[in-house]
């Protein structure tokens, strides 16, 4: 077209026909580009944004908000400029080649950005779906973006040097080791994200516990190279994505979905207070509506056994007898069975653990009906408050390491002897005074021990 314009100008005896024709063609290309830009960005796109804002469907609003349509408009502008350069300019001119190269680079750039906008929109739309939310789509989409960026860069380089991109790709074989080193984390993260998704190991919203990285909270983001965890103290812990495959972690999702959270806590009973249940204690505990059925049934069972065996019950070691600790276990089991916030369809038991220097551990193992943290802690605390309060009713006491208060009370009982040692009578013999003080101290220590200090 430029040649035809130049020939017409020459036929009209106009000087500098080639320069004028070149300027006219460039002006036509620029004018059409400006008109197209105005139509797209001043009329069409604002209309689409107004229509998208009025739609009730979320996906239409998201597509409008993620700059998808403006980037598509820029692609159309680049295509039009590319076509115009081929129509108006001679293929042998430098300007034609320059506009072709610039238009192709423009198109590749905005095609890549359009792909990014489309992936971002799909990610936002998928987060509103419960099933899609469990997939690590963000990490996968980041991997797609990285791959698209590399391919776009290779295409741009091939256009600038005028070579086929296949030649560039074949030359990358020698740089594989370097690329693997540079993109080690993204590659490992992409593979880890696919494994996490395929095995359903982790999803956004799960409660993740990973002590190695100090993570204990909700997963808020699964990216290509990192996983973000919002801890319960509202700090953010960042974990490499591939670490979730190479290291172990605890996912509490199943606990949340089961509808019950486990209580597994024990108290230490002083072993010296465990005894057989006396008739007076039996009569007192029989007044408990939770214990009465157990005591009646257990009493009949024991009496039947002892009668059949014809045992001499004057010796406590003969026959079967109830103990205060066993009765406490039965009471706590009945208490949990009647507790409105304990899950009755899950494991429930009160058991003894291995006795040790700190006494006899008595463990409560049960599940609450709620998985809410605050409600769970309140229920657990109420149960153990009640347990500690009822121990004296069974003649039991908790084992507790002596505190400073206990030591001061012990010293207070031995004060007379200590005073006698510190301020002896001038006429008394030292040996006798020391011996007397030791005897008094021993008596007070024994008395304090009998009182359970």
């Amino acid at each position: 077209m430029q040649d035809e314009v130049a020939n017409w100008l020459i036929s009209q005896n106009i000087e500098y026909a080639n320069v004028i024709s070149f300027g006219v063609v460039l002006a036509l290309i620029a004018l059409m580009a400006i008109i197209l830009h105005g139509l797209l960005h001043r009329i069409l796109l604002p209309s689409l944004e107004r229509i998208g804002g009025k739609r009730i469907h979320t996906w239409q609003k998201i597509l409008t908000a993620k700059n998808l349509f403006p980037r598509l408009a820029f692609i159309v502008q680049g295509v039009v400029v590319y076509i115009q350069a081929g129509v108006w300019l001679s293929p042998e001119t430098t300007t034609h080649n320059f506009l072709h190269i610039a238009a192709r680079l423009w198109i590749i750039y905005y095609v890549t950005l359009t792909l990014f906008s489309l992936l971002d929109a799909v990610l936002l739309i998928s987060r509103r779906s419960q099933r899609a939310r469990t997939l690590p789509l963000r990490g996968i989409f980041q991997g797609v973006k990285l791959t698209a960026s590399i391919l776009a860069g290779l295409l741009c380089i091939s256009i600038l040097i005028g070579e086929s991109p296949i030649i560039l790709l074949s030359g990358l074989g020698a740089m594989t080791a370097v690329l693997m080193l540079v993109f080690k984390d993204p590659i490992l993260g992409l593979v880890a994200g696919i494994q996490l998704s395929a095995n359903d190991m982790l999803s956004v919203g799960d409660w993740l516990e990973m002590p190695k990285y100090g993570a204990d909270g909700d997963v808020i983001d699964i990216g290509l190279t990192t996983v973000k965890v919002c801890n319960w103290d509202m700090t953010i812990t960042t974990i490499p994505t591939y670490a979730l495959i190479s290291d172990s972690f605890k996912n509490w999702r199943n606990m949340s979905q089961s509808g019950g959270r486990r209580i597994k806590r024990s108290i230490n009973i002083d072993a010296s207070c465990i005894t057989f249940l006396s008739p007076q204690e039996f009569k007192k505990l029989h007044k408990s509506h939770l214990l009465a059925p157990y005591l009646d049934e257990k009493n009949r069972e024991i009496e039947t056994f002892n009668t059949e065996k014809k045992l001499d019950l004057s010796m406590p070691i003969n026959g079967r007898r109830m103990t205060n600790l066993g009765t406490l276990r039965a009471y706590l089991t009945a208490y949990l069975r009647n507790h409105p916030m304990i899950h009755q369809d899950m494991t429930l038991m009160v058991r003894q653990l291995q006795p040790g220097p700190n006494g006899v551990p008595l463990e409560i193992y049960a599940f609450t009906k709620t998985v809410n943290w605050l409600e769970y802690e309140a229920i657990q605390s109420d149960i153990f408050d009640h347990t500690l309060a009822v121990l004296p009713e069974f003649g039991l006491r908790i084992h507790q390491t002596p505190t400073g208060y206990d030591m001061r009370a012990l010293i207070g009982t031995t004060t007379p002897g200590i005073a006698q040692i510190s301020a002896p009578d001038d006429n008394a013999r030292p040996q006798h005074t020391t011996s007397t003080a030791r005897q008094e101290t021993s008596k007070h220590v024994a008395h304090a021990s009998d009182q359970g200090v």
Side-chain angles (χ1 to χ4, degrees), residues 394-411:
F394 294 84
L396 297 169
R397 59 178 176 268
I398 199 75
H399 179 278
Q400 180 173 302
T401 304
T403 63
Y405 176 81
D406 298 324
M407 294 302 177
R408 287 193 298 270
L410 181 61
I411 293 174

Side-chain angles (χ1 to χ4, degrees), residues 18 32 201 208 277 289 292 317:
N18 291 329
M32 293 188 65
M201 298 170 62
L208 172 69
L277 204 64
H289 70 282
I317 61 175

Side-chain angles (χ1 to χ4, degrees), residues 156-297:
C156 291
I157 294 174
S158 66
I159 291 173
L160 291 174
I161 65 178
E163 298 289 346
S164 173
I166 299 177
I167 297 177
L168 293 177
L169 290 174
S170 62
L172 291 176
M175 300 179 61
T176 301
V178 177
L179 291 175
M180 290 293 291
L181 180 63
V182 174
F183 298 106
K184 177 178 72 69
D185 289 343
I187 293 173
L188 291 175
L190 179 61
V191 175
I194 295 174
Q195 291 182 347
L196 291 173
S197 176
N199 298 322
D200 194 22
M201 298 170 62
L202 189 69
S203 60
V204 175
D206 288 352
W207 176 5
L208 172 69
E209 184 178 351
M210 203 169 186
K212 179 179 179 180
Y213 293 91
D216 186 11
D218 289 334
V219 177
I220 59 176
D221 183 49
I222 301 178
L224 179 62
T225 57
T226 58
V227 173
K228 292 183 179 179
V229 179
C230 181
N231 299 314
W232 302 126
D233 57 358
M234 303 311 295
T235 59
I236 302 296
T237 299
T238 303
I239 306 172
T241 306
Y242 59 83
L244 298 173
I245 302 299
S246 59
D247 297 330
S248 62
F249 64 92
K250 183 183 290 187
N251 190 341
W252 292 79
R253 182 203 308 170
N254 191 55
M255 181 275 295
S256 301
Q257 295 175 349
S258 66
R261 187 168 178 178
R262 186 181 68 175
I263 296 175
K264 186 176 183 292
R265 182 183 291 182
S266 60
I267 58 175
N268 293 323
I269 305 296
D270 191 344
S272 63
C273 64
I274 300 175
T275 61
F276 292 120
L277 204 64
S278 66
Q280 294 78 11
E281 292 173 331
F282 179 89
K283 184 178 180 180
K284 181 182 71 171
L285 294 175
H286 194 273
K287 297 178 182 179
S288 171
H289 70 282
L290 293 177
L291 268 179
Y294 165 80
L295 292 174
D296 291 337
E297 181 181 356

Side-chain angles (χ1 to χ4, degrees), residues 80-145:
V80 171
V81 171
Y82 182 83
I83 295 174
Q84 283 184 301
V87 172
W88 296 102
L89 296 174
S90 174
E92 293 81 11
T93 60
T94 305
T95 305
H96 172 273
N97 294 332
F98 174 77
L99 287 180
H100 261 203
I101 291 174
R104 290 163 69 183
L105 294 176
W106 178 281
I107 293 171
I108 291 173
Y109 176 71
Y110 278 103
V111 165
T112 306
L113 292 182
T114 302
L115 176 61
F116 291 175
S117 296
L118 183 61
L119 292 176
D120 292 339
V122 172
L123 181 61
L124 285 179
I125 295 172
S126 65
R127 286 181 177 177
R128 299 180 179 273
S129 171
Q130 184 64 33
R131 182 174 181 82
R133 196 183 304 166
T134 60
L135 303 175
L137 294 179
R138 189 170 184 273
I140 296 175
F141 285 174
Q142 286 180 338
V144 174
K145 288 181 180 180

Side-chain angles (χ1 to χ4, degrees), residues 263-265 375-385:
I263 296 175
K264 186 176 183 292
R265 182 183 291 182
E375 296 176 1
Y376 163 79
E377 292 293 346
I379 295 169
Q380 181 175 236
S381 298
D382 288 342
I383 290 174
F384 278 90
D385 288 346

